[in-house]
Amino acid sequence: MEYKIDIYDANELKNCRFALGKSSENSLFIFGLNPSTADNNNPDQTIMKIMGFAEQNGYTGFVMLNLYPRRATQPENLDKSADKDVIIDNERVILEQVSKQKNPNILLAWGNKIYTREYFIECINRIYNLLTSKIYQINWWRIGDLTQSGQPRHPSRAPYQDFQKMDMETYFKTLNYADCNKREPRQAR
């Protein structure tokens, strides 16, 4: 898949990126935690891996979305409290993008760093409720098995493989705000 971006939604300061992608009638929607450095001209490692996963699984386009749209190369560098206006803007863009396909395919791809900030868990709950209240049939996917802490794998750390169905009801039963204080993400070496 060539890096020909025609979907790019960022704020004026470029410190929030709401959507990045290549449109197609057969697009894969991907949810990460928060955007890093990729923009409409230059991909980053995660976007290159996403494009590989999308192509391998038969998609001709992709739209990268995030639970929280504030840019940071590491989630630990984000503010401890979420900006509610940014969350609302993000949800508007997410619904606008995902609604373009009749039965959208959504890949969840964030790994254990979801426990870095409590608002990540609030965001996935809000996004899930928003999408399932507006869109009848959504196909939820993950890469391989869940992590030991029950999270969908981040693409940069996963080998290329076919997607597996994500059981969202079971996922939400095990996802817990209290885990944010118990489980620390593994530190990079």
Side-chain angles (χ1 to χ4, degrees), residues 11 15 20 27 34 68 71 86 94 99 102 107 132-133 138 148 152 163 168 181 185-187:
N11 66 354
N15 64 353
L20 170 76
S27 287
N34 68 288
Y68 191 68
R71 288 183 186 269
V86 167
I94 288 169
S99 294
K102 186 176 181 182
L107 177 67
T132 56
S133 72
I138 300 173
Q148 285 183 344
F163 298 147
M168 296 304 286
N181 298 319
R186 198 171 82 198
Q187 299 297 316

Side-chain angles (χ1 to χ4, degrees), residues 8-138:
Y8 185 68
D9 193 334
N11 66 354
E12 193 174 314
L13 296 174
K14 306 288 188 231
N15 64 353
C16 289
R17 188 190 75 210
F18 301 97
L20 170 76
K22 177 183 178 183
S23 60
S24 164
E25 289 183 19
N26 185 26
S27 287
L28 175 65
F29 298 93
I30 305 96
F31 280 97
L33 284 182
N34 68 288
S36 184
T37 60
D39 62 22
N40 55 329
N41 297 312
N42 299 298
D44 59 18
Q45 178 184 357
T46 299
I47 295 296
M48 293 302 294
K49 195 80 185 244
I50 288 291
M51 290 169 51
F53 272 109
E55 191 169 42
Q56 180 199 337
N57 283 274
Y59 298 95
T60 53
F62 74 96
V63 180
M64 184 73 207
L65 304 162
N66 289 280
L67 302 185
Y68 191 68
R70 184 85 68 201
R71 288 183 186 269
T73 54
Q74 294 296 322
E76 296 87 354
N77 296 333
L78 290 168
D79 293 332
K80 294 205 187 258
S81 298
D83 181 325
K84 298 298 182 190
D85 292 333
V86 167
I87 287 175
I88 291 167
D89 288 343
N90 193 44
E91 291 170 350
R92 177 188 48 77
V93 172
I94 288 169
L95 185 58
E96 175 185 303
Q97 289 297 323
V98 176
S99 294
K100 291 179 182 179
Q101 298 219 346
K102 186 176 181 182
N103 296 315
N105 288 285
I106 297 176
L107 177 67
L108 304 180
W110 50 70
N112 293 334
K113 290 198 175 195
I114 193 168
Y115 298 115
T116 306
R117 296 286 181 258
E118 285 188 19
Y119 56 81
F120 287 147
I121 294 173
E122 176 187 346
C123 289
I124 185 55
N125 276 293
R126 289 174 57 112
I127 291 166
Y128 178 78
N129 289 331
L130 172 70
L131 291 177
T132 56
S133 72
K134 304 285 184 186
I135 301 171
Y136 177 68
Q137 179 64 42
I138 300 173

